[in-house]
Amino acid sequence: RLEFSADLGFSYTRASGVTQLSFDGRAAYRDQAHYGEVELSSIQTNTENDGTSERFDAVGNYQRTVTGRLFGAGQLGGQGHDELGLELRLYGGVGVGYRLIEGNANVLTVLGGLSLNREWSVTGEQTENNLEA
């Protein structure tokens, strides 16, 4: 029913002067009708010549069985990656899915729906809204 995992990493490369700190975490809950999951990841890189760069990703997923193998799903999340010029991206989506294969350890699903996201650039000049299917 419950799963938790966390990873913390640190690396230093003397030849290039690169230091990197990383974190990954996940918590999930499952029962007969519900599935919920939260995932977090972050990498911070520091180089002697280029300074510091950061990347993070946080997402929450929820699924609710409607009937048999048919389910409804929702997702909320946020991302940032300053090397790509992305200060922040917030997104959310809803959809309907079907479990093609369902076993004790593995599940194969298909899902269709709509996703809305909003992005802010590092320079602050550009803000975008996107609706995707």
Side-chain angles (χ1 to χ4, degrees), residues 14-37:
R14 184 176 175 191
S16 59
V18 175
T19 304
Q20 196 169 59
L21 179 64
S22 63
F23 171 78
D24 289 304
R26 179 179 177 270
Y29 172 80
R30 177 186 305 270
D31 66 21
Q32 289 270 337
H34 306 272
Y35 175 74
E37 176 181 57

Side-chain angles (χ1 to χ4, degrees), residues 1 3 25-31 33-41 57-65 71-79 91-95 99 109 111 114-115:
R1 285 187 153 211
E3 288 181 40
R26 179 179 177 270
Y29 172 80
R30 177 186 305 270
D31 66 21
H34 306 272
Y35 175 74
E37 176 181 57
V38 175
E39 293 182 272
L40 306 168
S41 70
D57 200 356
V59 64
N61 296 301
Y62 176 74
Q63 294 179 5
R64 168 84 164 108
T65 299
F71 64 91
Q75 181 180 61
L76 291 173
Q79 298 174 323
Y91 59 91
V94 294
R99 293 181 190 93
T109 64
L111 178 71
L114 294 175
S115 175

Side-chain angles (χ1 to χ4, degrees), residues 111-122:
L111 178 71
L114 294 175
S115 175
L116 177 66
N117 68 58
R118 182 170 173 94
E119 298 178 353
W120 292 268
S121 70
V122 171

Side-chain angles (χ1 to χ4, degrees), residues 5-6 12 17 19-20 33 37 42 57 64 68 73 88 99 101-102 107 110 114 132:
S5 66
Y12 174 71
T19 304
Q20 196 169 59
E37 176 181 57
S42 174
D57 200 356
R64 168 84 164 108
L88 180 63
R99 293 181 190 93
I101 299 173
E102 208 169 9
V107 177
V110 292
L114 294 175
E132 301 167 353

